[in-house]
Amino acid sequence: MKFTELGIKDYILKAIDKLGFEEATEIQGLAIPEVLKGIDVIGQAQTGTGKTFSYAIPIIEMVDTECKDVQALVLCPTRELTIQVQKEVEKLLEYTKKIKVATIYGGTSYEKQIRELKNRPQVVIGTPGRIIDHMNRKTLQLDHLKMLVLDEADEMLKMGFKDDLEIILKDTPDKRQTVLFSATMPPFIKNIAKNYQKNPVHLVVEKKTLTVEMISQEYYFVKRDDKKELLVRLLDFYEFKSSMIFCNTKKEVDELVTFLQKHEFSVDGLHGDLKQMVRDRVMNAFRSGSVKILVATDVAARGIDVSDVEVIFNYDIPQEDETYVHRIGRTGRAGRSGKSITFVHPRAKTRLKEIENYTKKEMTFKEIPSIEDINNAKVSKVYSKIVEEINSYNKIDQTQMINRLVKEGYDVNQIINALISLTVKEEKRQYKDIEIIPLRAERKEKGVKKVSKNNFTEGRKKFIKASLNIGKKESMRPQILLSFLAKTVDIRKENVGDIVIRKSGTELDITEGAYNRLRRLEGRKYQNTVIRVGKVQN
Ligand code: CDP
Ligand code: MG
């Protein structure tokens, strides 16, 4: 449905038009006409589906601009969401000056809020606790309230606002219109609806896989102890412009932030225990791009409007299916493609399958990039940077410096070599070993396609026989070979079976996945021998 078909005031339409929106989202198309009728409404739809406008447009439409009482109150779970809603409302008010909006939330001084309230706003947006404070102080009068909105009602519950909500619902005029928006409908919300709404219409927009359609969902099998290392590798390998990393606990957020900072990543963390001021600072830094990585818990991150995240990490696989969709919904917004990366502990495989069944989309198993892969990626990046610079129109002329170096007797190749080394050296990092856990067979589930060929049958390793042209003449021994393989191509001993070392060569049993890594040794040198990798047919 188009916004122009909703029969709303011209100046609102003009504002929406300026934002570049024409089509109302599904929940907007359903909810706006109902809310405009003045009846009680429950609107249920996923995060990011435009629930804010679903009530904000009707609020603006119904406010009596001549009357200076508070006519609409919007309750939000957090300060961030309050500010976000305010911003959305202000966007709609671009072409009118007759409606005033105040925001009321905890963690800041009362003075400014009291001043705002004295200014006679018709619309108040805020968090339940502080709203009650102002009600008690009589600085907020709700006697003429016409419409009460509970936004992100499920989140408000999670934040512990249950009692506060009931107080507000009891202490505002009975004849008010009550509108409730939520992504989910836990029992307490249903009770609120039953006790405090009058014959509400319940509008539901079914979860769609569509929202995850544009997101490439990948996962890695990794042991708990190796997760940090894997993260470092992936961050180095991909060099994402912006990443959000989700952890299940606050403690983990703190630990991970400290760890990544130690490794010189541009990172900060967000969780409920942080002071409001700190949270604001972190969010602004992340939005502006001065912090590239944000580590967060779900509650702290939910509802926060960051839309341009390149990748979402599920550092911990989420406990609830919906949480997964909420998390990854922060990438690939507005038609852009996005990426999500989930770390799966081998024992959490069933969780992985549950999520796949929920999203009706299969995640792609990815091999952990080896140290060589990462170094290659870095080299490619340096290479493209150089080529780009060569072709750029506004590069600075360095003839003077070149002439000077040449005059000193340096040869051009030497100069270039030194410059490239300078660029590459900066990025040297010591990577630790990661245990490779191969993909197993049992990935054939209802509705979920099999991902890739397995290396295993019923948990028993299936090896292929590989050959290397290094052997006793290079003083090769099984232990030396295993540590060489681990170091150079990231092959763990678990993926290697029998090793037979002969004078001029070695045969080893190896899993198929590991064999693909082994092949990367081809052409490299071991002592003075150029390595050849082969397959022994049996
Ligand atoms: O509350 P919910 O998570 O459902 O979504 P929201 O916070 O209202 O965010 C929706 C985003 O989509 C906002 O940034 C809107 O500006 C934008 N949008 C919209 O609300 N309606 C449209 N028809 C198009 C875009
Ligand atoms: Mg919302």
Side-chain angles (χ1 to χ4, degrees), residues 22-41:
E22 193 180 332
E23 283 291 323
T25 64
E26 201 174 341
I27 188 70
Q28 289 165 354
L30 287 171
I32 293 172
E34 298 297 334
V35 181
L36 281 174
K37 284 183 197 161
I39 59 173
D40 286 359
V41 171

Side-chain angles (χ1 to χ4, degrees), residues 142-176:
L142 297 173
D143 307 341
H144 300 285
L145 189 73
K146 287 201 270 182
M147 183 169 163
L148 176 64
V149 178
L150 313 184
D151 191 16
E152 315 273 350
D154 51 354
E155 281 304 305
M156 285 202 273
L157 274 196
K158 278 193 196 156
M159 305 287 291
F161 284 131
K162 181 172 180 276
D163 295 342
D164 288 349
L165 285 184
E166 297 219 69
I167 292 172
I168 297 170
L169 284 158
K170 281 194 188 113
D171 286 0
T172 47
D174 277 345
K175 59 178 199 304
R176 52 142 218 267

Side-chain angles (χ1 to χ4, degrees), residues 218-416:
E218 302 174 347
Y219 73 95
Y220 292 84
F221 274 149
V222 64
K223 291 204 156 178
R224 236 180 284 283
D225 293 344
D226 286 337
K227 285 204 292 192
K228 283 195 179 78
E229 276 304 317
L230 175 58
L231 188 61
V232 168
R233 285 197 193 190
L234 295 175
L235 290 171
D236 278 354
F237 185 67
Y238 288 107
E239 289 185 10
F240 299 110
K241 280 189 213 62
S242 61
S243 336
M244 247 178 121
I245 303 175
F246 284 96
C247 299
N248 288 350
T249 66
K250 295 169 192 169
K251 189 167 157 265
E252 215 154 20
V253 169
D254 283 336
E255 279 174 14
L256 198 55
V257 169
T258 311
F259 173 83
L260 290 173
Q261 276 169 349
K262 247 188 231 154
H263 284 71
E264 291 174 359
F265 286 103
S266 160
V267 59
D268 218 329
L270 202 65
H271 60 62
D273 281 358
L274 296 172
K275 283 220 184 71
Q276 205 55 72
M277 239 173 52
V278 181
R279 293 167 67 170
D280 284 351
R281 210 199 52 224
V282 172
M283 273 320 298
N284 288 335
F286 185 61
R287 277 205 197 94
S288 72
S290 62
V291 162
K292 290 200 174 133
I293 304 169
L294 183 66
V295 187
T297 56
D298 292 297
V299 173
R302 177 97 173 254
I304 282 170
D305 185 30
V306 281
S307 49
D308 209 6
V309 185
E310 193 176 354
V311 64
I312 300 294
F313 282 95
N314 292 296
Y315 186 79
D316 293 320
I317 196 162
Q319 302 298 318
E320 291 166 46
D321 297 340
E322 286 184 20
T323 308
Y324 177 80
V325 176
H326 286 148
R327 285 181 181 183
I328 71 166
R330 299 180 171 285
T331 183
R333 280 211 178 161
R336 279 186 291 266
S337 60
K339 189 189 190 74
S340 84
I341 293 177
T342 302
F343 288 2
V344 184
H345 185 267
R347 254 173 296 159
K349 264 188 228 160
T350 25
R351 197 69 265 286
L352 174 73
K353 273 181 213 151
E354 284 164 10
I355 292 176
E356 286 179 330
N357 286 332
Y358 179 79
T359 60
K360 307 240 169 27
K361 213 180 160 206
E362 182 193 330
M363 292 188 224
T364 312
F365 169 80
K366 295 284 278 184
E367 264 188 58
I368 294 172
S370 67
I371 296 157
E372 199 190 0
D373 292 336
I374 297 169
N375 289 332
N376 285 343
K378 282 182 187 167
V379 169
S380 307
K381 263 169 217 137
V382 173
Y383 179 86
S384 346
K385 265 192 216 159
I386 294 172
V387 172
E388 201 181 305
E389 186 63 21
I390 292 173
N391 292 315
S392 101
Y393 288 105
N394 49 6
K395 57 179 173 288
I396 307 161
D397 184 44
Q398 304 287 6
T399 318
Q400 242 187 336
M401 176 65 91
I402 298 169
N403 286 343
R404 190 173 150 190
L405 285 160
V406 171
K407 228 164 110 190
E408 292 289 328
Y410 295 106
D411 148 289
V412 175
N413 274 330
Q414 263 180 317
I415 301 171
I416 296 173

Side-chain angles (χ1 to χ4, degrees), residues 134-148:
H134 281 283
M135 286 166 72
N136 291 338
R137 289 166 179 233
K138 303 270 187 289
T139 42
L140 175 62
Q141 300 276 358
L142 297 173
D143 307 341
H144 300 285
L145 189 73
K146 287 201 270 182
M147 183 169 163
L148 176 64

